[in-house]
Structure formats: structure tokens, C-alpha cells
Amino acid sequence: MRPVLIALLLLAGLSPIPLALAQSTKPPAKPAAPATQDSPLPTLSMVVPERDRTAVYSYYRAEVAAGRCPAGLAKKGNACGAPAQAKQAWKLDQPLPEGVKGEALPPALIAKISPSPAGYQYLRVDNDILIVSLGARSVATLVADLSRL
């Protein structure tokens, strides 16, 4: 009886995978496909400090209080307001359309906010202050919406 037990143990030890484990093993899972993006370029996640947003709103509120409406805002009585609902001409992570022109921010405002990241600039497009890439003119982030003044 003893030689039979030894023979069985040897056979069990020589088999590469015990029968119970062989039945429970599954093939390795396939890696998940990468998420598709609408744009061919990776997105840049920019965070605008609240200090910069506050500086932009304070600057333009002072301009409005002095009776100077920034371009893009219409004079309404003694105040400036957003014109009739205009369609937003830009999209995040997309280049500005051909006909859309942006204006540089006034030097007095640029002095109050953080420098733009390398390869980017601040632009005012209609009622919006944006950070836009220099070459492709791709919109990285919205800094402020002046229609909220």
C-alpha cells in the first residue's frame, strides 16, 4: 500500500497544474482600450488661480464704474451689459475659428495677474478672457466671463 501512495504522490507532484486549479484558471484579461478624444492633441489641464480671476473682474468693474465699457459689452443707460445672447465662438481644446479675433489684455491688467504659461497668451474674445496657445490658437482655459459683471 505504501508504494502505491508514493507513486500517486509522485504523479500528483509531477503534473504541472493540479486538476482543481486548472479548471478555475481564466485567461488573462485584455487591457482596456484607451479612451478616444475629440481632438488629436492631448488636453492641457490649466488651473487659473482665484486671485487672477478676482483681479480680472476687479479691473473691468473699475472700468465700467468709470463709464468705459470694454469692447464686447454694450452701453445700457449708465451701465455696461452683455449684448443680446451671442453664440459662443470658441470651444475648449479647439482652435479659435478663422473669423474670430482676440485682443490682448491691457498692460495694466497684465501687470496684476500671473504670467501666462510658456507658449500661451491671454486674449479677450468677445466677453471672455481666455488663455490661448500662440501657434495653433487653441483655447486652453476660460479665465473670466465679462458678461457676469
Side-chain angles (χ1 to χ4, degrees):
M1 170 97 160
R2 194 168 189 181
V4 174
L5 269 176
I6 293 174
L8 284 176
L9 287 175
L10 283 174
L11 285 175
L14 293 177
S15 69
I17 300 174
L19 184 60
L21 288 176
Q23 291 175 350
S24 68
T25 59
K26 296 179 182 176
K30 294 180 182 178
T36 59
Q37 295 181 354
D38 290 341
S39 68
L41 301 174
T43 59
L44 176 64
S45 178
M46 283 193 190
V47 176
V48 178
E50 191 60 34
R51 178 184 76 79
D52 289 350
R53 290 185 201 280
T54 302
V56 168
Y57 285 123
S58 296
Y59 176 84
Y60 282 106
R61 280 189 189 110
E63 290 290 300
V64 169
R68 296 182 295 269
C69 289
L73 296 180
K75 187 88 168 168
K76 293 182 179 179
N78 291 338
C80 298
Q85 285 290 347
K87 185 180 176 193
Q88 183 174 317
W90 57 270
K91 292 182 181 180
L92 281 176
D93 295 326
Q94 298 294 318
L96 290 173
E98 286 294 320
V100 176
K101 294 183 181 178
E103 295 180 15
L105 299 185
L109 176 56
I110 292 289
K112 294 180 180 182
I113 58 179
S114 303
S116 60
Y120 290 84
Q121 66 180 355
Y122 289 101
L123 281 182
R124 188 175 56 77
V125 175
D126 297 328
N127 294 330
D128 301 319
I129 307 296
L130 307 171
I131 296 179
V132 178
S133 68
L134 291 173
R137 292 177 32 113
S138 180
V139 178
T141 191
L142 171 69
V143 177
D145 179 1
L146 299 181
S147 64
R148 296 182 181 184
L149 287 177

